[in-house]
Amino acid sequence: MKRLQGLAAGIARVGAIAGGAMLLAAAVTICIDIFLRYAFSLTVGGADELSGYALAIASAWGFSLALLGRSHIRIDTVYVRVKRRRIRAMLDLLSLASFALFIALVAWHGWGVLQQSYASSSRSQSAIEAPLVIPQGLWFAGLAFCVAVALLLLARALVAFLKGDLATLFEAIGSKSAVAEAKEEITAVAHALGGNPGE
Amino acid sequence: MTAAISLIVLLVLLGSSIAVAAGMGLTGLILNQLYSAMPLTRMLGELTWSTSSNFILTAIPFYIMFGEILLRSGIAERMYNALVQWLSWLPGGLMHSNIGSCALFGSVSGSSVATAATIGVVAMGEIDKHKYNERLFLGTLAAGGTLGILIPPSINMIIYGVMTDTSVPKLYLAGFIPGFVLTVLFSLTVLIACLWRPHWGGEKIATNWEARIRTLPDLIPPLALLMIVVGAIFFGIATATESAAVGIIGALAITAWRRRLSLAMLRDVCEATVRTTAMVVAILVGAFFLNVVIQTIGLTQQLSRLITAYQLTPVQILTAVIVLYLVLGTFMEELSMMISTIPITTPLILHAGYDPVWFGILLVLLIQTAMVTPPFGINLFVIHGIRGRGTLSDVELGSAPFVIALLIMIGLICVFPDLAMWLPRLVG
């Protein structure tokens, strides 16, 4: 199951990078749009719509990346005061289970949205009349993948819990302390600042 | 009664360390089961799609991406070094450069954590070199960083704007003067501290006019980006989202000019952007759903009736809201605090006759305060983490004087609402 999680992390990362690339492309499109508007008084339109799709798709795929990286925000005021490790583990399981339930509901009803767009071959009400099935399909795929990741993590954590292997459980789904969170942020910033070996 | 139960459900769920997004969504589900015959859950799909494809909200990933690129562009170090030349003659030396850099970086960045982390990493090496009072130095970074969300652009203002149907450009305009005044207040805090205890101010840094002039070109890129990103909104040329998109291209251009642009760098930028964005959007989805449920079951009207029944004056309501945020802000993660409370507090404040733009600025100031008040203050953690030694309470103590400055600012904006409202009125 650990390997499966590694695979999932790989897919999530690719999905996220693709989503980020879409956002970057959307930003470029918007700039071209603005340029044409002011330089040649041309209104192309549609850039705003495309960037909306990019956001929806990128965040749907990002949900699983954040889940695997344990970056979804949790209020750990009580959690950190619980001394018993088993109870902490139970809180982690509860948190993950409720997240899985929530994202599953979102995906379930998201499927409904997609199906309806397909049945009525909906197009966006705008200049580009994009068939909504395409962006919504990619969006739903992200949500569905996140449900799968959540279930995988839940299975892995449950097995670890039953075996009494709490270390594995915390590593997979434990709440990251805010201090640890801040440390990661800093490592990323320091890495980014010193990013260029050439200089 | 409904209000009490709703609040209890939400607090129990969030308190049990359930992911905030799921906690808010499930609170919505439970309230829906309890109080409404309509199966609102069915809206979850449509709501998630419309929330996450909202054009105004695309400004959020754009600003995050903009910040991620800036971080890798080499702009921050050069800007900091230039401001050292220009500001370090003041009693308190580099600490003024810290605040100035935070303000300048905050005026191109939309996030307080990013501002504190970036300037913090750049500045931290200087503490030992010049023998500053360590606590105060750390305080300038933690508190200065919070300026990121007050000085436009601001991710928090976009979220507030979308959640309350308030104009984001107006919020930006309104944040400008308070941002400037608060920067001055922070600097005054350092000045007063260092006049009172001169040895806190460290050793003088040698500088001369020649060196100052030489650093001027390093200030051009951030100022140019500032003009593009904020100027375009002020003069009504571009919307918040559009200006953020232009900012991304501008930042990429600077990165390329500094020869730091590469495929690996872009890949890192994309991944980091999506990770943070997903975190924010997940919470927003939960909050929007909860918001719909709250409105459907008539919770807001109920609260309004309660206030009418007790004949609370506007000032009393405002005071209650401010106290609520100061208390919540001590222990709650700031973003979740803001998103989960806006649906309840904003209608109350508007009901009392206050302006939504003005309240947006007040709210941002309260969130800034929350970021530097223990036990949970995200900027405290960030600065403590960068320092990598000593205790968290050093940063907490060092930030305390700036919390006072923030409280003074909150008082100022309540007594003189025009600090925020003058610019939006002038332009709009």
Side-chain angles (χ1 to χ4, degrees):
Chain A
M1 258 195 288
K2 192 172 180 183
R3 275 179 51 195
L4 214 51
Q5 189 184 333
L7 180 70
I11 299 175
R13 191 157 170 261
V14 172
I17 292 171
M22 271 185 201
L23 284 167
L24 189 57
V28 174
T29 318
I30 289 179
C31 287
I32 296 173
D33 196 54
I34 298 172
F35 177 73
L36 290 178
R37 195 186 335 152
Y38 281 96
F40 305 104
S41 308
L42 267 176
T43 342
V44 183
D48 48 352
E49 195 183 316
L50 291 176
S51 56
Y53 299 154
L55 172 60
I57 296 165
S59 36
W61 281 92
F63 289 159
S64 41
L65 186 75
L67 189 61
L68 286 160
R70 299 184 289 150
S71 338
H72 282 295
I73 298 173
R74 296 167 61 181
I75 310 286
D76 64 358
T77 315
V78 176
Y79 182 92
V80 292
R81 281 169 183 73
V82 175
K83 289 284 173 290
R84 294 274 294 276
R85 279 163 55 85
R86 275 187 78 80
I87 297 180
R88 275 195 190 197
M90 284 179 194
L91 285 174
D92 288 330
L93 281 169
L94 178 72
S95 172
L96 181 62
S98 59
F99 188 87
L101 175 66
F102 180 63
I103 196 75
L105 277 170
V106 171
W108 176 256
H109 293 285
W111 172 245
V113 171
L114 176 64
Q115 219 173 20
Q116 187 151 24
S117 296
Y118 179 74
S120 57
S121 22
S122 301
R123 285 171 181 270
S124 60
Q125 291 162 340
S126 70
I128 52 174
E129 290 187 24
L132 278 174
V133 174
I134 298 171
Q136 284 179 347
L138 290 170
W139 165 73
F140 173 76
L143 293 178
F145 179 66
C146 186
V147 175
V149 168
L151 292 177
L152 172 69
L153 282 175
L154 197 58
R156 190 163 174 231
L158 265 177
V159 169
F161 184 75
L162 293 176
K163 273 196 207 153
D165 182 6
L166 294 186
T168 304
L169 184 143
F170 290 133
E171 190 198 303
I173 68 163
S175 177
K176 244 189 250 177
S177 75
V179 176
E181 196 89 53
K183 280 226 174 74
E184 268 178 30
E185 169 86 19
I186 294 145
T187 321
V189 167
H191 173 76
L193 280 173
N196 185 18
E199 207 175 78
Chain B
M1 193 54 198
T2 320
I5 290 178
S6 309
L7 203 64
I8 290 169
V9 171
L10 184 66
L11 285 181
V12 167
L13 283 181
L14 294 188
S16 57
S17 84
I18 285 176
V20 173
M24 278 192 275
L26 294 181
T27 306
L29 286 179
I30 294 172
L31 293 183
N32 183 16
Q33 286 293 326
L34 287 178
Y35 296 111
S36 171
M38 267 191 286
L40 295 168
T41 323
R42 281 201 203 142
M43 296 176 50
L44 209 47
E46 193 53 53
L47 200 72
T48 308
W49 172 254
S50 61
T51 304
S52 55
S53 63
N54 178 325
F55 179 61
I56 305 177
L57 285 182
T58 36
I60 295 174
F62 284 172
Y63 282 126
I64 294 172
M65 183 174 272
F66 180 46
E68 293 286 342
I69 298 171
L70 274 187
L71 191 61
R72 293 167 172 82
S73 67
I75 216 177
E77 299 98 317
R78 287 163 189 266
M79 181 187 82
Y80 184 81
N81 290 333
L83 285 179
V84 166
Q85 295 293 327
W86 285 90
L87 293 176
S88 60
W89 58 274
L90 289 158
L94 280 183
M95 290 189 273
H96 297 285
S97 323
N98 290 348
I99 292 166
S101 303
C102 284
L104 192 55
F105 195 80
S107 66
V108 286
S109 160
S111 146
S112 283
V113 173
T115 305
T118 309
I119 305 302
V121 168
V122 174
M124 200 58 75
E126 307 289 332
I127 294 187
D128 296 332
K129 277 193 215 158
H130 306 285
K131 303 197 173 59
Y132 285 101
N133 176 285
E134 203 164 345
R135 287 177 174 165
L136 196 63
F137 193 94
L138 297 170
T140 58
L141 293 169
T146 68
L147 290 168
I149 59 168
L150 179 61
I151 304 179
S154 161
I155 290 172
N156 296 59
M157 287 185 199
I158 296 169
I159 294 176
Y160 175 83
V162 170
M163 290 187 78
T164 63
D165 268 326
T166 309
S167 147
V168 174
K170 275 198 176 143
L171 285 166
Y172 279 10
L173 284 167
F176 206 68
I177 294 178
F180 181 76
V181 173
L182 186 59
T183 309
V184 173
L185 278 179
F186 281 166
S187 252
L188 270 178
T189 310
V190 173
L191 207 62
I192 292 169
C194 291
L195 288 175
W196 181 48
R197 290 272 188 275
H199 62 276
W200 285 1
E203 294 160 350
K204 272 263 172 292
I205 291 169
T207 167
N208 55 52
W209 281 101
E210 198 191 333
R212 281 181 188 162
I213 305 285
R214 213 172 37 232
T215 61
L216 274 184
D218 290 337
L219 288 175
I220 293 172
L223 287 175
L225 283 175
L226 174 79
M227 284 309 294
I228 295 172
V229 174
V230 183
I233 300 172
F234 277 18
F235 297 110
I237 299 170
T239 65
T241 312
E242 288 172 345
S243 85
V246 177
I248 289 181
I249 306 303
L252 279 178
I254 292 172
T255 316
W257 178 47
R258 297 265 192 248
R259 297 174 187 287
R260 288 187 174 207
L261 191 64
S262 69
L263 218 54
M265 172 247 168
L266 282 178
R267 192 194 58 212
D268 288 352
V269 164
C270 285
E271 191 183 339
T273 303
V274 171
R275 186 190 303 275
T276 314
T277 304
M279 212 176 73
V280 178
V281 170
I283 296 180
L284 279 175
V285 168
F288 273 66
F289 179 63
L290 180 58
N291 204 0
V292 170
V293 175
I294 284 179
Q295 278 167 9
T296 316
I297 64 177
L299 191 68
T300 325
Q301 292 92 314
Q302 209 183 35
L303 280 175
S304 304
R305 272 201 300 277
L306 205 67
I307 285 164
T308 321
Y310 282 97
Q311 295 187 322
L312 291 177
T313 63
V315 175
Q316 284 170 327
I317 296 170
L318 184 66
T319 315
V321 167
I322 291 176
V323 170
L324 171 81
Y325 277 113
L326 290 176
V327 173
L328 281 182
T330 57
F331 64 86
M332 222 175 143
E333 196 277 330
E334 286 75 22
L335 187 74
S336 347
M337 170 178 92
M338 179 181 129
I339 296 176
S340 60
T341 53
I342 281 178
I344 297 167
T345 52
T346 316
L348 286 183
I349 288 289
L350 301 193
H351 182 80
Y354 292 101
D355 187 282
V357 173
W358 174 82
F359 181 62
I361 303 304
L362 177 68
L363 185 60
V364 168
L365 284 167
L366 288 164
I367 294 165
Q368 284 183 271
T369 313
M371 286 173 160
V372 286
T373 42
F376 195 108
I378 190 73
N379 275 25
L380 300 173
F381 299 145
V382 169
I383 295 304
H384 173 63
I386 296 175
R387 184 178 172 225
R389 59 167 200 239
T391 62
L392 187 61
S393 68
D394 288 336
V395 190
E396 292 169 1
L397 286 169
S399 302
F402 302 99
V403 173
I404 296 173
L406 272 161
L407 292 176
I408 292 174
M409 188 68 217
I410 289 170
L412 279 177
I413 204 153
C414 289
V415 180
F416 307 107
D418 270 353
L419 277 175
M421 297 311 292
W422 182 69
L423 258 184
R425 249 203 328 267
L426 194 72
V427 177

